[in-house]
Amino acid sequence: QVELVESGGGLVQAGGSLRLSCGVSGFTFSNAHMAWFRHAPGKQREFVAWISRSTGSTRYGASAKGRFTISRDSAKNSVYLQMNSLKSDDTAGYYCAAALKSISFAIADQALQYDYWGHGTQVTVFS
């Protein structure tokens, strides 16, 4: 049974940092491209970051560039999202996603490319 379990969300003051984690089970982690998306009430789901399964290449959404860092640890079957300089606009539910098929850099921001999703962790940034 495939499971993606996010953790690390919470309440943080603007300018602060959080580190999200996503633990994976039920498939071979090294075979999966991993990504983070977020969804805020009244807004569309937004791509945040992607990390490839082989080379560790990364891609970031416009709002994440320069502030967020995605990483993965195969020994722990986990992917992480380090978020710095948080703003109130970052308030959202953050979701981990996995794709077992090949995904290129060009389409890594498309939610439909991902096979499995976690239930999300809430991040709330206050001023």
Side-chain angles (χ1 to χ4, degrees):
Q1 182 179 353
V2 173
E3 276 195 312
L4 284 72
V5 180
E6 301 95 335
S7 61
L11 192 63
V12 62
Q13 193 168 16
S17 299
L18 280 176
R19 186 188 191 219
L20 305 184
S21 300
C22 174
V24 166
S25 61
F27 58 85
T28 303
F29 181 68
S30 60
N31 289 343
H33 297 278
M34 301 298 299
W36 289 94
F37 288 79
R38 68 186 186 185
H39 191 195
K43 296 183 180 180
Q44 290 189 333
R45 180 169 47 191
E46 181 184 2
F47 167 74
V48 177
W50 164 81
I51 186 164
S52 73
R53 61 187 176 187
S54 52
T55 64
S57 298
T58 58
R59 178 181 174 181
Y60 295 92
S63 60
K65 283 181 183 176
R67 299 189 299 129
F68 295 0
T69 302
I70 188 171
S71 61
R72 63 191 295 160
D73 185 339
S74 294
K76 296 183 178 180
N77 283 359
S78 294
V79 62
Y80 306 98
L81 186 68
Q82 177 66 43
M83 305 188 296
N84 299 327
S85 303
L86 284 162
K87 309 172 184 178
S88 57
D89 286 348
D90 296 318
T91 295
Y94 283 73
Y95 298 85
C96 172
L100 298 182
K101 57 183 175 291
S102 180
I103 290 185
S104 67
F105 180 94
I107 61 172
D109 61 340
Q110 297 176 7
L112 58 83
Q113 300 297 332
Y114 295 88
D115 306 300
Y116 303 106
W117 294 79
H119 292 293
T121 186
Q122 179 66 31
V123 171
T124 302
V125 183
F126 66 93
S127 300

